Amino acid sequence: MQIAARDQLIVALDVPQVDQARQLVETLGEAVSFYKVGMELIYGNGFGFVSELTRAGKKVFLDLKLHDIPNTVQKATEQVAHLGVTFLTVHAYPQTMRAAKAGCLNSQMQILGVTVMTSYDDQDLRDAGYDKSVQDVVRIRAEAARDIGIGGLILSAEEVAAMRLHIGKDLLLVTPGIRPADSDSHDQKRFMTPKDAILAGANHLVVGRPVTQAKNPKAAALSIIQEIHTTNQKI
Ligand code: C5P
């Protein structure tokens, strides 16, 4: 089923204070339906704000990247599910994904797996005791995510096309590193336009600064949603 273009844009609330996040959400108004909340805001008293968002009818992607023993992951996932969150991230280790999936059983929440952090290269993996390349570990973990049946994967835009081919249509692919054609790349070295990411097979785009630091954040969000909508018609 095709997801509505408005729900395909996830705006990253990368701010330290709840007041700043609340201000952004107010500015974006009805234009934006989906927000990513990460560790920075959560550790700045953000849990209450997550409930505020869901009560206001917004969808929330809670980027907590859980990883612990299965019992702890399952219980923590159950707690997050009570907040009415739509997506929760975990590191894509099979034990962790199974436990998180079990923690979602009585809710609509879906688990997204983080395969290998994009800040890691092959040497970083060797330093951490792995004897496989990043590409191999990403593939192994993505296949495990599919076999276990979690909701999807978060991965960089440049990995989307190959992963979509490899993994099929069952998993949602959620990608950051998105830059509209006319916007600043900031510190993103590899990025894609909304159009190219959707054509590559992404289901949701995570966008931070091109919206939150735009002169007119609402117009920037609406323009990305329009680009997604137009691209959806071509698929
Ligand atoms: O501001 P910008 O659009 O670059 O923000 C992208 C968001 O996606 C940030 O929350 C960032 O932490 C996250 N992210 C990323 N690249 C990854 C994983 C997550 O940019 N590989």
Side-chain angles (χ1 to χ4, degrees):
M1 194 186 63
Q2 178 57 53
I3 306 162
R6 192 171 79 119
D7 292 337
Q8 287 179 275
L9 171 66
I10 304 178
V11 173
L13 290 172
D14 292 326
V15 289
Q17 309 279 352
V18 169
D19 283 353
Q20 293 164 276
R22 196 176 283 129
Q23 181 63 50
L24 270 168
V25 172
E26 215 174 289
T27 303
L28 292 166
E30 287 305 305
V32 172
S33 58
F34 214 147
Y35 289 97
K36 178 168 93 78
V37 176
M39 287 186 239
E40 182 184 12
L41 186 54
I42 283 297
Y43 296 147
N45 291 321
F47 268 115
F49 179 66
V50 168
S51 299
E52 203 176 304
L53 283 174
T54 55
R55 275 200 307 272
K58 303 296 182 190
K59 296 178 198 298
V60 177
F61 166 3
L62 196 47
D63 191 14
L64 294 184
K65 299 188 177 69
L66 299 185
H67 185 46
D68 208 311
I69 60 168
N71 181 61
T72 304
V73 170
Q74 181 174 338
K75 300 291 183 209
T77 305
E78 285 168 6
Q79 298 279 32
V80 173
H82 289 144
L83 297 173
V85 163
T86 302
F87 292 149
L88 169 69
T89 46
V90 304
H91 284 280
Y93 288 73
Q95 265 194 6
T96 300
M97 292 191 284
R98 269 188 225 105
K101 188 183 171 192
C104 289
L105 272 189
N106 299 314
S107 79
Q108 301 287 314
M109 187 168 80
Q110 290 193 293
I111 298 298
L112 300 180
V114 179
T115 52
V116 176
M117 302 300 303
T118 48
S119 55
Y120 272 56
D121 61 19
D122 290 350
Q123 184 59 47
D124 291 310
L125 279 188
R126 271 193 296 278
D127 291 347
Y130 294 85
D131 64 356
K132 289 192 163 44
S133 66
V134 168
Q135 213 182 356
D136 284 347
V137 178
V138 167
R139 185 178 41 76
I140 290 166
R141 291 186 179 167
E143 286 167 0
R146 179 196 56 201
D147 297 346
I148 291 164
I150 62 165
L153 297 171
I154 176 140
L155 71 182
S156 69
E158 62 177 9
E159 294 170 322
V160 168
M163 187 58 75
R164 182 55 84 203
L165 273 178
H166 183 70
I167 217 82
K169 288 204 181 280
D170 288 348
L171 291 180
L172 292 170
L173 299 183
V174 179
T175 181
I178 300 297
R179 289 293 177 270
D182 57 357
S183 89
D184 189 333
S185 60
H186 304 104
D187 53 1
Q188 297 283 9
K189 293 203 176 64
R190 294 179 298 272
F191 47 88
M192 260 189 197
T193 62
K195 175 183 169 198
D196 288 345
I198 294 292
L199 288 176
N203 302 98
H204 293 275
L205 312 182
V206 177
V207 184
R209 289 160 292 179
V211 169
T212 59
Q213 294 182 8
K215 278 204 187 87
N216 183 339
K218 195 170 185 174
L222 287 171
S223 158
I224 294 172
I225 292 166
Q226 183 57 46
E227 185 172 333
I228 296 172
H229 177 73
T230 310
T231 311
N232 285 342
Q233 314 294 309
K234 296 180 183 147
I235 301 174

